[in-house]
Amino acid sequence: MNISDLKPIFVLNGPNLNLLGGREPEIYGTSTLAGVKSLCLETARTLDVDLVFEQTNHEGALVELIHRAGAEGSAIVINPAAYTHTSIALLDAIKGVDAPTIEVHLSRPVARETFRAISYVSLAAAGAISGLGAYGYALGIQAAVHLAKARAKFKT
Ligand code: DQA
């Protein structure tokens, strides 16, 4: 199978990530969300796969984006932001769709406040990348394509 036959990779971003660049730059870096999107598009281009990039501040909207990714995409890369640590709805959404999911965080939540050490999303994610800033998204997309490709081969 040609990798370009893969359905798009969905890169989904949760609350407050629209503030990147100005938001606690000592923790999250100085890249804006537009900069992160450019990096993601460039990574997808080099891997010859289409990419959908979305951000929302609303939990239900994120659930619906996961459903859409399950129907229209081949894999998910998600930074659920604060919903990582609170949302059983996101966990159930990821478990409910048939798309390998990579969890990405700019910072390293386990090395911060104790409430950030819990990730509901990790219970359903195939893998997780944290602490590498925006570069983690590029690695996440590579991992997502790898898993989607392996799955497509397995199914043929
Ligand atoms: C984050 C880490 C979360 O704990 C936090 O709530 C965020 C961003 C990260 O990318 O490091 O909003 O997901």
Side-chain angles (χ1 to χ4, degrees), residues 14-17 20 23-24 27-28 78-85 103-110 112-113 115-118 129-131 133 137:
N16 301 305
L17 294 172
L20 282 181
R23 176 193 179 203
E24 299 180 273
I27 295 175
Y28 298 118
I78 186 166
N79 183 347
Y83 291 137
T84 306
H85 318 299
E103 177 183 354
V104 170
H105 299 282
L106 296 151
S107 69
R108 198 157 164 266
V110 292
R112 298 174 60 194
E113 300 98 322
F115 64 82
R116 293 187 205 273
I118 290 169
I129 296 161
S130 70
Y137 281 75

Side-chain angles (χ1 to χ4, degrees), residues 25-130:
E26 66 286 0
I27 295 175
Y28 298 118
T30 52
S31 290
T32 61
L33 191 64
V36 173
K37 182 177 179 179
S38 295
L39 174 66
C40 290
L41 289 172
E42 178 59 20
T43 305
R45 198 184 61 74
T46 61
L47 294 170
D48 196 19
V49 66
D50 289 330
L51 186 119
V52 175
F53 189 96
E54 300 282 356
Q55 187 273 332
T56 176
N57 293 316
H58 303 279
E59 186 176 13
L62 211 42
V63 167
E64 286 174 356
L65 283 167
I66 291 165
H67 294 175
R68 197 180 132 207
E72 300 172 14
S74 62
I76 299 169
V77 174
I78 186 166
N79 183 347
Y83 291 137
T84 306
H85 318 299
T86 62
S87 181
I88 297 167
L90 288 191
L91 167 63
D92 285 349
I94 293 167
K95 286 169 84 171
V97 299
D98 186 27
T101 299
I102 305 293
E103 177 183 354
V104 170
H105 299 282
L106 296 151
S107 69
R108 198 157 164 266
V110 292
R112 298 174 60 194
E113 300 98 322
T114 51
F115 64 82
R116 293 187 205 273
I118 290 169
S119 169
Y120 287 98
V121 167
S122 274
L123 294 172
I129 296 161
S130 70

